[in-house]
């Protein structure tokens, strides 16, 4: 049987290799005949088949085994022998012909489960990264260390992006919308073939969990650096995955996971489960399309909204419904498998700190769990991976009921997770390198018993977003971008540089700050310090909010669940209001320090100017005034947008003393003056001395919205001030965008765009009557929907926006007039 089997396939394969001319005479393509024969052998191993043509002494006709008919061979042994021989033959054919046909490759691969050592696939020697931003840069960094050239892909919006510049080659995909660029599978595969890349790494998001994309890569002879398409398909459908997990004995949350999406049926199932329920898309992740429904009255609207958001994000609008656990923790387990059947876990991560169902601080290992719990949840995760024949990196997500201590399977992310760096920090391994080695056919470098667990790690996701407005995504230019310095215990994963723009087209994450310490307390101290030194100016970010989270007493004790932010929102979001006096003093001190540093910078600039042969009286040394020292008035408008309150004007009187120091006081004398000495450290950095206490200060400047913007960082404080620009400065300022509004004040009843985005739907017409809090339009940005509602009852005036129109942050959408004025 062995010689017969090899002879048969070799004959069919060689006829294909020799040429395709037989197709014209026989009427059946050689590849089809070959696949038909091999399929018959796999499905009916005892069937008598015609012997292939004898082509020399290498493969003589098969003779029966004495004393035993072929049909008496054990079926398992027969299949094992067949698979082993087919795979060995397949490896030979690949060398002869740069790889067998994609269909035969998949067929042979699918029959190899019992083969102990399948031949390795082609070595990954050039990788195309089918992603953008920080994850593209992250993958390229490991590839560069391994000596593997990389290819980037980009949209028109990312032509000069950091990931494009980091790659050895880059290929344009298309316009900015993701559907026309980063979700264009055919264009990405074509880019790999054009550049000679033999493998594609999908990163996370976009096509990373598309079974069709993984299958397309394989069919084109490309190595997909990720799990098999079958596993992506099984686990990508959350309904199907829950059925598979249930069969594998993994605990499940009660819910409806059926294919029938009739809205009446869905509502009936929700009624059976009992409110509150959680609606979520069957595909995708990142919190997109998730809705918590507290009662039946809100169910239909929530379903329709979730379907729209799911379709926009993932192209599929099917939903599932789960019982909503009221006090849950989100704990996930990093799993890894290879193509030899090995699968292990790399411990768990706690991802409970979330807003808009998206994680913002993750940590590993999870705090306040027992060794027994860790082993139990890790074992369940490995069972989940093995149930779908998983290999490469994956994450099994569980919801943990803090009241009962039980955990339940939520979903499996068949890709590298955003928060994978915290796992890397505690196990001391590069997971991207593991992915590449597994794609090369290598075994996992560690067994379960060999996986270390060292110290503790945190990851904080730094977003461009407006926290007081409900964490709405923000857009803008990074006029100043100075991350904390990296080290062996501090990592900054980013895909942007100073001067780059955060656009409305993609996720607003700017960077991931990752820290490690020998204990959770040590890591937390490092996280707080690193956040204080992470400097961004030009658009609103969540850094201050992350600092509040890290400083919160409950978080310091590891008492976390997914409702943490909602439960403590008054502590986290109203810190300035709670300590308004302290906040005012800190803002005043920041303005005083900024004034001193600005004066010092101006002084140095004036001294170094070749055109200024004679220094002004203000900048002469010592400063000259008849009978008095030189004085200067400066105004700072304290921007309290991050605190969600109104702005405040600070007027400062600066006196330049003969010893080069500055005496600064408020014009109204409301606070005592300060003597300040300033040393310039270059660029925007200064060393300031107040009463013998020295501290480092950093300033950033840029022009926007008819104002000069000044940011200052000192200690753990960051403040933002504005100064009104003079007419001549406005005429010279070319940085003003064309859509800047003419003023900051608007008529009563004006409704402003909460974020830059596209108008998805306009629900009412201009002049229509509205009730208080009635939806008027829907805006989408970064795959997130936001419903714009009327702030009061009345009638709509000035509504000109239409579906598909782009609107800018804070632009006037419409005005609601009182009914009495109509």
């Amino acid at each position: 049987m062995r010689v017969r089997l090899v002879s048969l396939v070799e004959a069919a394969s060689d006829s294909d290799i020799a040429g395709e001319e037989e197709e014209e005479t026989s009427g059946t393509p050689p590849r089809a005949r070959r696949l038909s024969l091999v399929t018959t052998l796999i499905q009916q191993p005892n069937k008598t088949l015609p012997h292939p043509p004898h082509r020399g002494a290498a493969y003589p006709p098969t003779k029966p085994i004495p004393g035993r008919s072929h049909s008496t061979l054990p079926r398992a042994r027969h299949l094992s022998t067949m698979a082993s021989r087919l795979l060995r033959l397949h490896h030979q054919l690949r060398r002869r012909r740069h790889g067998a046909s994609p269909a035969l490759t998949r067929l042979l691969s699918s029959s190899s489960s019992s083969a102990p050592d399948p031949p390795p696939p082609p070595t990954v020697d050039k990788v195309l990264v089918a992603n953008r931003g920080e994850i593209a840069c992250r993958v390229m960094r490991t590839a560069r260390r391994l000596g593997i050239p990389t290819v980037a892909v980009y949209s028109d919006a990312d032509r000069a992006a950091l990931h494009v510049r980091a790659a050895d080659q880059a290929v344009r995909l298309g316009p900015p919308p993701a559907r026309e660029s980063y979700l264009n599978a055919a264009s990405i595969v074509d880019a790999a073939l054009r550049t000679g890349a033999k493998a594609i790494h999908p990163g996370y998001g976009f096509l990373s969990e598309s079974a069709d994309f993984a299958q397309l890569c394989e069919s084109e002879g490309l190595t997909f650096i990720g799990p098999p398409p079958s596993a992506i398909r099984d686990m990508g459908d959350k309904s199907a995955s829950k059925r598979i997990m249930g069969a594998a004995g993994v605990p499940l949350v009660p819910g409806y996971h059926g294919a029938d999406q009739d809205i009446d049926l869905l509502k009936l199932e929700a009624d059976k489960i009992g409110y509150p329920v959680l609606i979520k898309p069957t595909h995708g992740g990142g919190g997109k399309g998730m809705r918590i429904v507290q009662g039946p009255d809100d169910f239909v609207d929530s379903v329709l909204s979730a379907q729209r958001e799911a379709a926009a994000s993932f192209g599929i609008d099917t939903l599932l419904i789960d019982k909503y656990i009221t006090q849950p923790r989100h704990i996930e387990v990093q799993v890894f498998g290879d193509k030899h059947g090995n699968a292990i876990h790399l411990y768990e991560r706690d991802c409970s700190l979330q807003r808009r169902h998206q994680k913002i601080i993750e940590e590993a290992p999870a705090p306040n769990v027992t060794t027994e719990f860790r082993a139990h949840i890790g074992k369940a995760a490995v069972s989940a991976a093995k149930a779908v024949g998983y290999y490469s990196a994956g994450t099994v997500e569980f919801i943990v009921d803090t009241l009962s201590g039980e955990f339940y399977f939520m979903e499996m992310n068949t890709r590298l997770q955003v928060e994978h760096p915290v796992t890397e920090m505690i196990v001391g391994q590069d997971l991207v390198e593991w992915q590449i080695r597994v794609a090369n056919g290598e075994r996992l470098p560690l067994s379960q018993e060999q996986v270390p667990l060292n110290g503790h790690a945190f990851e904080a996701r730094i977003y461009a977003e407006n926290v007081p407005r409900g964490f709405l995504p923000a857009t803008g230019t990074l006029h100043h971008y100075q991350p904390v310095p990296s080290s062996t215990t501090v990592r900054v994963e980013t895909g942007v540089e100073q001067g780059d723009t955060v656009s409305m087209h993609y996720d607003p994450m700017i960077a991931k700050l990752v820290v490690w310490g020998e204990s959770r307390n040590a890591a937390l101290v490092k996280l707080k310090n690193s956040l204080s030194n992470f400097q961004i100016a030009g658009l609103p970010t969540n850094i201050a909010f992350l600092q509040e989270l890290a400083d919160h007493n409950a978080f310091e004790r590891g008492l976390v669940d997914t409702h943490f932010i909602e439960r403590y929102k008054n502590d986290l979001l109203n810190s300035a209001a709670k300590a308004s006096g302290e906040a005012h003093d800190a803002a005043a001190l920041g303005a005083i320090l900024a004034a001193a540093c600005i004066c010092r910078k101006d002084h140095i600039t004036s001294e170094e100017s070749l055109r200024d042969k004679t220094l002004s009286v203000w900048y002469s040394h010592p400063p000259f005034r008849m009978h008095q020292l030189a004085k200067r008035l400066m105004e700072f408008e304290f921007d309290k947008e991050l605190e969600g309150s109104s702005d405040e004007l600070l007027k400062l009187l600066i006196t330049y003393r003969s010893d080069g120091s500055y005496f600064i006081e408020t014009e109204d004398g409301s606070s005592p003056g300060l003597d300040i000495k300033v040393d310039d450290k270059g660029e925007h950095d200064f060393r300031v001395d107040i009463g013998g206490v020295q501290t480092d200060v950093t300033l950033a400047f840029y022009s926007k919205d008819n104002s000069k913007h000044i940011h200052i960082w000192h200690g753990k404080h960051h403040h933002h001030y504005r100064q009104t620009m003079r007419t001549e400065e406005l005429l010279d300022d070319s940085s003003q965008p064309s859509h800047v509004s003419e003023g900051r004040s608007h008529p009563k009843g004006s409704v402003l765009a909460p974020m830059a985005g596209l108008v998805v739907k306009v629900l009412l017409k201009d002049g229509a009557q509205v009730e208080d809090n009635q939806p008027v339009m829907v805006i989408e940005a970064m795959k997130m929907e936001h419903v714009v509602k009327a702030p009061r009852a009345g009638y709509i005036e000035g509504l000109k926006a239409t579906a598909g129109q782009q609107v800018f942050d804070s632009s006037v959408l419409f005005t609601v007039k009182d009914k009495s004025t109509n």
Side-chain angles (χ1 to χ4, degrees):
M1 173 58 190
R2 294 179 182 178
V3 176
R4 173 173 169 272
L5 177 61
V6 172
S7 178
L8 177 62
V9 179
E10 181 70 15
S13 300
D14 279 352
S15 67
D16 193 18
I17 295 172
E20 302 292 335
E21 62 271 9
E22 295 181 31
E23 181 176 348
E24 299 177 4
T25 58
S26 67
T28 304
R31 178 179 299 173
R33 293 200 306 276
R34 180 182 71 218
L35 291 175
S36 176
L37 292 172
V38 175
T39 302
T40 302
L41 280 172
I42 291 175
Q43 295 177 346
Q44 305 178 45
N46 294 329
K47 182 176 178 64
T48 301
L49 299 174
H51 199 279
H54 179 52
R55 296 180 287 108
Y59 298 103
T62 304
K63 296 180 180 179
I65 299 175
R68 179 183 295 175
S69 68
H70 172 75
S71 61
T72 61
L73 286 173
R75 182 180 181 89
R77 178 182 172 191
H78 177 77
L79 287 173
S80 177
T81 302
M82 178 194 68
S84 179
R85 291 293 185 182
L86 284 177
L87 283 168
R88 190 172 301 170
L89 171 64
H90 171 54
H91 190 43
Q92 294 170 353
L93 293 178
R94 287 183 70 90
R95 290 199 300 267
R96 292 173 57 186
R97 199 184 158 190
H98 304 293
S101 69
L104 179 60
T105 299
R106 292 195 301 274
L107 184 57
L108 294 176
S109 299
S110 67
S111 64
S112 64
S113 59
S114 58
D117 281 302
T123 301
V124 174
D125 57 7
K126 190 174 187 177
V127 176
L128 181 144
V129 183
N131 218 294
R132 65 178 300 279
E134 65 87 12
I135 187 58
C137 295
R138 162 73 188 91
V139 173
M140 291 174 187
R141 187 170 67 246
T142 291
R144 188 181 307 113
R145 180 173 59 80
L146 297 176
I148 301 174
T150 57
V151 180
V153 290
Y154 65 92
S155 71
D156 292 340
D158 282 341
R159 187 178 184 278
L162 183 60
H163 79 276
V164 175
R165 289 176 277 131
D168 297 286
Q169 291 176 276
V171 179
R172 176 187 178 272
L173 293 177
R179 291 186 181 279
E180 301 178 56
S181 51
Y182 297 105
L183 290 175
N184 190 331
S187 294
I188 291 172
V189 168
D190 180 67
L193 297 175
R194 286 166 56 192
T195 57
K198 300 294 180 61
I200 292 181
H201 194 299
Y204 57 74
F206 294 126
L207 293 171
S208 63
E209 293 183 282
S210 169
D212 292 339
F213 179 62
Q215 195 77 60
L216 177 63
C217 292
E218 286 191 2
S219 68
E220 294 295 336
L222 300 170
T223 298
F224 180 78
I225 303 179
S230 59
I232 299 176
R233 188 169 287 109
D234 288 341
M235 304 309 285
D237 184 332
K238 293 181 176 63
S239 295
S241 69
K242 296 204 174 192
R243 291 192 291 270
I244 295 172
M245 293 301 101
V250 180
L252 299 176
V253 176
Y256 173 74
H257 311 134
D260 191 339
Q261 295 288 297
D262 179 77
I263 195 163
D264 291 330
L265 175 66
L266 293 178
K267 188 174 186 304
L268 180 63
E269 292 294 334
D271 293 339
K272 291 179 182 178
I273 295 167
Y275 293 93
V277 297
L278 177 66
I279 298 173
K280 60 192 302 187
T282 58
H283 295 72
K288 302 293 194 304
M290 289 180 60
R291 300 290 187 274
I292 299 170
V293 186
Q294 299 292 344
D297 293 343
D298 300 325
F299 185 81
V300 173
D301 288 341
S302 297
V303 166
L304 296 176
S305 175
Q307 287 175 334
R308 286 196 303 269
E309 195 168 307
S313 299
F314 317 118
I316 301 175
D317 66 354
T318 54
L319 306 172
L320 59 82
I321 306 172
D322 279 336
K323 176 65 179 176
Y324 184 63
I325 296 177
T326 57
Q327 295 186 36
R329 286 179 68 178
H330 181 134
I331 295 181
E332 61 188 30
V333 179
Q334 178 72 61
V335 294
F336 229 105
D338 62 27
K339 299 178 181 179
H340 303 267
N342 302 307
I344 63 173
H345 69 82
L346 302 177
Y347 304 111
E348 79 286 348
R349 300 183 286 254
D350 191 296
C351 307
S352 298
L353 287 192
Q354 304 176 9
R355 90 282 181 265
R356 299 201 324 260
H357 305 295
Q358 287 185 316
K359 310 159 190 173
I360 50 175
I361 293 184
E362 304 97 339
E363 59 181 301
N368 299 328
V369 301
T370 64
T371 302
E372 181 182 8
F373 177 91
R374 178 167 293 128
H376 191 193
I377 200 171
K379 183 179 179 181
V382 172
S383 296
K386 288 184 175 181
V388 291
Y390 199 86
Y391 56 75
S392 194
T395 298
V396 184
E397 298 191 347
F398 296 93
I399 187 167
V400 180
D401 189 337
T402 57
L403 299 179
S404 67
E406 298 295 325
F407 63 84
Y408 305 96
F409 172 82
M410 283 201 301
E411 62 187 27
M412 183 176 186
N413 293 316
T414 53
R415 54 172 166 81
L416 194 67
Q417 200 82 328
V418 177
E419 57 272 17
H420 75 274
V422 292
T423 296
E424 292 180 321
M425 298 293 263
I426 65 169
V427 300
Q429 300 292 321
D430 184 333
L431 298 191
V432 174
E433 179 179 348
W434 278 33
Q435 284 188 298
I436 293 173
R437 295 196 181 282
V438 166
N440 277 335
E442 299 179 27
R443 294 179 180 272
L444 293 178
L446 299 176
S447 66
Q448 188 65 69
E449 294 72 22
Q450 293 173 320
V451 179
L453 176 54
N454 296 322
H456 203 95
F458 287 100
E459 175 182 283
R461 302 189 192 187
I462 297 175
Y463 283 97
E465 65 183 13
N466 197 312
V467 174
R469 293 186 187 177
F471 305 97
L472 289 179
T475 60
T477 301
L478 295 165
H479 290 287
H480 178 83
Y481 184 61
Q482 187 172 305
V484 63
S486 297
S487 67
T488 56
T489 60
V490 177
R491 287 169 56 174
V492 176
E493 303 286 351
T494 187
V496 295
E497 291 182 317
Q498 184 166 301
D500 288 350
T501 298
V502 177
S503 77
M504 58 175 283
H505 300 288
Y506 313 113
D507 189 89
M509 187 166 67
I510 298 172
K512 300 183 310 194
L513 171 63
V514 187
V515 301
W516 178 91
E518 293 184 355
S519 66
R520 188 176 188 271
N521 287 340
L524 187 55
V525 169
K526 196 165 296 182
L527 175 65
K528 295 177 181 180
N529 182 65
S530 297
L531 286 170
S532 297
N533 290 284
F534 207 114
Q535 301 175 3
I536 300 176
L539 41 66
T541 74
N542 67 333
I543 291 179
F545 180 72
L546 291 171
Q547 290 177 284
E548 294 291 341
L549 278 174
D551 281 333
H552 198 278
N553 179 260
F555 180 71
E556 290 178 335
R557 293 181 290 153
L559 303 177
V560 294
D561 61 45
T562 58
H563 298 312
F564 188 95
I565 291 175
E566 179 65 23
R567 180 180 301 114
Y568 296 112
K569 64 181 179 182
N570 290 333
D571 297 341
L572 300 169
L573 300 176
N574 299 322
S575 58
K578 290 189 308 174
S580 56
E582 180 182 343
H584 178 275
D585 291 344
L589 176 60
I592 289 172
L593 295 178
C597 293
I598 290 171
C599 290
R600 179 59 181 160
K601 196 72 175 178
D602 288 348
H603 196 164
I604 293 173
T605 300
S606 183
E607 284 181 333
E608 294 176 348
S609 175
L610 296 176
R611 294 170 299 175
D612 192 6
K613 300 299 182 180
T614 303
L615 297 178
S616 69
V617 173
W618 167 259
Y619 292 120
S620 62
H621 185 77
F624 175 79
R625 281 284 192 278
M626 188 67 67
H627 307 302
Q628 62 181 352
L629 297 175
K631 293 188 177 182
R632 178 181 180 182
L633 179 66
M634 297 181 71
E635 294 184 356
F636 293 83
E637 188 178 3
F638 179 31
D639 191 324
K640 295 184 178 181
E641 181 181 11
L642 295 179
E643 285 79 12
S645 55
S646 58
D647 298 341
E648 178 181 350
L649 184 63
L650 301 172
K651 294 184 178 182
L652 301 177
L653 191 61
I654 304 101
T655 302
Y656 184 23
R657 296 185 182 276
S658 57
D659 61 355
S661 65
Y662 304 95
F663 179 76
I664 303 178
E665 57 189 329
T666 57
E667 185 188 42
D668 59 7
S670 59
S671 61
L674 294 175
D675 279 305
I676 302 176
K677 295 180 180 179
V678 181
D679 290 325
D680 180 46
K681 297 174 63 177
E683 291 297 325
H684 303 292
D685 297 324
F686 303 87
R687 186 76 170 180
V688 175
D689 184 317
I690 303 178
V693 178
Q694 298 185 12
T695 186
D696 288 326
V697 171
T698 299
L699 260 62
F701 309 91
Y702 58 91
S703 298
K704 178 183 175 183
D705 298 344
N706 300 347
S707 298
K708 284 184 177 179
H709 291 254
I710 302 168
H711 288 255
I712 182 171
W713 292 266
H714 59 103
K716 66 176 184 179
H717 299 288
H718 168 214
H719 292 113
H720 175 199
Y721 309 94
R722 285 191 305 271
Q723 291 180 328
T724 302
M725 297 175 68
R726 298 187 299 271
T727 303
E728 61 270 21
E729 292 177 310
L730 289 173
L731 293 175
D732 292 338
D733 184 22
S734 60
S735 66
Q736 298 298 310
S738 59
H739 62 268
V740 168
S741 59
E742 295 182 358
R744 293 175 57 86
S745 60
H746 303 285
K748 182 180 179 182
S750 296
V751 178
L752 310 183
M755 58 187 178
L758 291 175
V759 177
V760 176
K761 200 171 185 181
V762 179
L763 305 174
L764 298 174
K765 295 181 179 181
D766 192 34
Q769 296 283 339
V770 290
E771 299 300 325
D772 183 27
N773 211 37
Q774 181 178 348
V776 178
M777 65 172 59
V778 180
I779 296 177
E780 179 190 280
M782 303 170 185
K783 301 180 182 178
M784 189 190 78
E785 281 191 358
H786 182 83
V787 179
V788 180
K789 300 179 180 181
R792 59 179 177 174
Y795 69 95
I796 295 177
E797 183 179 274
L799 176 58
K800 300 178 180 179
T802 58
Q805 179 180 334
Q806 181 175 338
V807 296
F808 296 99
D809 185 17
S810 298
S811 60
V812 179
L813 299 175
F814 57 88
T815 302
V816 178
K817 296 289 187 179
D818 290 335
K819 293 181 180 180
S820 58
T821 61
N822 191 3

